[in-house]
Amino acid sequence: GEDPLRRPQFAPAGARPFTKLPAPLEQAMAGVQYEMFAGLFPEIHCAWLTVDHRFFLWDFEDSAGSFVQYDGLDQSIVSAALVRPPLGAFPDDVPYCVLLATPVEVAVLCVRFGASSAASSFGLGDNVPGGGAGARSD
């Protein structure tokens, strides 16, 4: 039969330029006290990092190093997920939400994209239901 590793989904990815981790994130990683997790949200071309109670999101193809940070939780973040919100739950300009879980709560953050380019302009919005406290763009 056919060698499963010769299927198109296993073909080598095209060469892409290396994008360095933004310097402030390297500094945050150096100061980890409890837990640190990282991953990719390929649907939105973003990487994410949690360092204790802080969440960082950035476009992994953007060499400018811009990122957003959310620090509105009191406890360490132990999991992050990207989901599509149910129709009508949020305004139409919110195509995705990020769920952040701590041992005692789950925060829902709205992900909004700028008009210029979905991959290079984004921001974290409201933590539901508590408002947008703690979200900022650096």
Side-chain angles (χ1 to χ4, degrees):
E2 176 188 8
D3 182 357
L5 295 179
R6 301 251 183 240
R7 294 181 183 157
Q9 62 265 36
F10 294 110
R16 293 184 179 204
F18 176 76
T19 303
K20 187 172 168 60
L21 187 69
L25 278 61
E26 290 181 8
Q27 294 169 356
M29 290 170 60
V32 66
Q33 294 181 6
Y34 300 105
E35 299 182 278
M36 180 173 57
F37 300 99
L40 298 175
F41 294 147
E43 305 91 335
I44 61 171
H45 299 275
C46 287
W48 60 269
L49 171 71
T50 66
V51 178
D52 300 325
H53 69 282
R54 295 175 293 165
F55 175 77
F56 302 91
L57 183 70
W58 70 99
D59 181 336
F60 54 70
E61 294 181 339
D62 178 17
S63 60
S66 59
F67 64 93
V68 291
Q69 174 181 340
Y70 177 78
D71 58 4
L73 298 171
D74 293 332
Q75 297 207 2
S76 291
I77 298 167
V78 296
S79 184
L82 183 72
V83 299
R84 286 200 176 268
L87 283 175
F90 295 100
D92 291 342
D93 68 335
V94 179
Y96 291 97
C97 292
V98 171
L99 305 180
L100 300 177
T102 73
V104 297
E105 68 182 317
V106 174
V108 180
L109 305 177
C110 299
V111 178
R112 292 186 172 92
F113 298 98
S116 61
S117 166
S120 65
S121 178
F122 51 80
L124 294 177
D126 303 326
N127 176 0
V128 177
R136 66 178 185 268
S137 191
D138 288 330

